[in-house]
Amino acid sequence: MSPMPPHKKKTPPVLIRPTQHGDIPALIALGNRIYPGDDPWLVEHYASHIKHFPQGQLVAIDPQTDRVVGCASTLIINWDDYEFDHNWNEFTDNGYFTNHDPEHGKTMYAADVMVDPDMQGRGVGKAIYKARFQLCRDLNLLRIRAGARLRGYSQYVDQMDAVDYVIKVIHKDIGDPTLSFQLKRGFRVIAVCENYLRHDPASLGWAAVIEWINHHVALRRDFRKRDPKYSPRKKLKPE
Ligand SMILES: CC(C)(COP(=O)(O)OP(=O)(O)OC[C@H]1O[C@@H](n2cnc3c(N)ncnc32)[C@H](O)[C@@H]1OP(=O)(O)O)[C@@H](O)C(=O)NCCC(=O)NCCS
């Protein structure tokens, strides 16, 4: 198993609220820490997110310090306009969310989630997702989909292909820093794709396409027939 962030100590619950323009410098600093050397979002990206979908942009605030310790960036898309193997740039219009389509879309696309490295493993990500699920329910949207970049895959690339890696993470034989977290939130893997974030050295571009269904609005036909190879391992009944 790859290392799991230790649950250091119980911290008071964080406050989750919509992102404001004044949060942008803190979000840029956070992005630089989480994705060093990459091309983290700039002021114009965050400003565009707030302009197109203010409710979908969330920050986590530490109530003791009033500091931004996490965030989530989301848009609504019409899934029929996309393919499973589209990459992150295509799903987010190069990070600007100008493809946000609340008129036709029933899918919330989870473009990013970040928690301050010093605060990881304390339930901040969980609190952010709780708010994301509530937003999906409040807007009567069908589901949340995302590409979970396979952050731990580069350590296993010599041993197995990405599909086998994902199956091992689903079976809890391997822990992946992103996908294990998403699966615990109730997401299911529906596909594995290459070239999602082409220049990400940790995932080597590989991602799992994941889905969380809003049971309040879903109909039977909305539960896309899932590939059984991505099903969680069944618990054996005691004899
Ligand atoms: C992924 C991320 C948002 C998780 O946030 P977090 O605040 O550390 O997560 P939490 O403390 O709320 O953890 C929630 C659960 O996930 C589990 N989890 C977190 N990291 C894990 C790991 N590396 N392996 C296995 N499980 C993990 C926790 O054990 C916890 O389990 P529980 O529900 O049984 O208590 C955070 O690690 C992060 O910012 N990563 C870098 C950015 C990133 O990769 N984002 C995703 C882009 S696709």
Side-chain angles (χ1 to χ4, degrees), residues 1-5 7 34-35 71 110-117 119-129 146-149 151 175-182 184-185 196-197:
M1 293 273 283
S2 58
M4 189 185 296
H7 277 268
I34 297 273
Y35 303 113
C71 66
D112 197 21
V113 57
M114 298 190 281
V115 171
D116 185 323
M119 292 291 284
Q120 289 180 9
R122 299 182 186 201
V124 178
K126 214 179 201 174
I128 291 172
Y129 258 98
R149 67 187 180 110
R151 255 168 82 206
D176 179 86
T178 302
L179 184 57
S180 298
F181 164 78
Q182 310 282 24
K184 280 193 171 179
R185 309 277 65 75
Y196 181 69
L197 272 175

Side-chain angles (χ1 to χ4, degrees), residues 21-234:
H21 284 274
D23 300 320
I24 293 178
L27 294 177
I28 291 173
L30 186 56
N32 283 323
R33 291 184 69 197
I34 297 273
Y35 303 113
D38 210 345
D39 286 326
W41 281 329
L42 307 169
V43 175
E44 52 265 37
H45 292 103
Y46 287 109
S48 181
H49 305 168
I50 296 171
K51 176 179 165 200
H52 290 286
F53 188 25
Q55 282 169 286
Q57 317 315 317
L58 301 171
V59 284
I61 306 290
D62 178 346
Q64 288 181 324
T65 59
D66 221 20
R67 216 166 50 87
V68 173
V69 292
C71 66
S73 307
T74 310
L75 66 155
I76 296 173
I77 58 171
N78 179 5
W79 190 265
D80 295 343
D81 295 343
Y82 301 84
E83 301 291 339
F84 279 96
D85 60 355
H86 272 169
N87 63 34
W88 181 89
N89 281 324
E90 290 163 324
F91 280 116
T92 64
D93 192 16
N94 293 305
Y96 284 94
F97 298 7
T98 42
N99 54 332
H100 173 62
D101 186 1
E103 196 183 332
H104 306 102
K106 287 195 249 166
T107 301
M108 259 175 65
Y109 195 75
D112 197 21
V113 57
M114 298 190 281
V115 171
D116 185 323
D118 294 339
M119 292 291 284
Q120 289 180 9
R122 299 182 186 201
V124 178
K126 214 179 201 174
I128 291 172
Y129 258 98
K130 202 173 161 200
R132 237 180 192 175
F133 293 141
Q134 193 53 51
L135 179 64
C136 185
R137 291 188 197 100
D138 290 348
L139 298 178
N140 278 321
L141 294 170
L142 172 59
R143 61 192 166 205
I144 302 178
R145 282 185 174 175
R149 67 187 180 110
L150 303 175
R151 255 168 82 206
Y153 181 54
S154 53
Q155 293 166 37
Y156 290 88
V157 65
D158 294 336
Q159 298 166 46
M160 62 190 86
D161 65 28
V163 169
D164 285 341
Y165 174 82
V166 166
I167 292 170
K168 283 190 183 301
V169 174
I170 294 169
H171 290 173
K172 301 184 179 150
D173 297 330
I174 294 175
D176 179 86
T178 302
L179 184 57
S180 298
F181 164 78
Q182 310 282 24
L183 294 173
K184 280 193 171 179
R185 309 277 65 75
F187 280 91
R188 291 288 171 263
V189 173
I190 53 176
V192 172
C193 66
E194 204 176 354
N195 297 323
Y196 181 69
L197 272 175
R198 235 166 270 174
H199 304 295
D200 177 25
S203 66
L204 305 173
W206 287 94
V209 183
I210 54 169
E211 170 180 80
W212 175 90
I213 294 267
N214 177 6
H215 289 252
H216 294 287
V217 300
L219 303 172
R220 191 180 284 263
R221 67 178 147 82
D222 294 319
F223 289 83
R224 178 182 178 273
K225 210 163 179 255
R226 288 172 175 162
D227 187 334
K229 72 171 174 282
Y230 298 126
S231 300
R233 196 180 267 152
K234 284 204 178 79

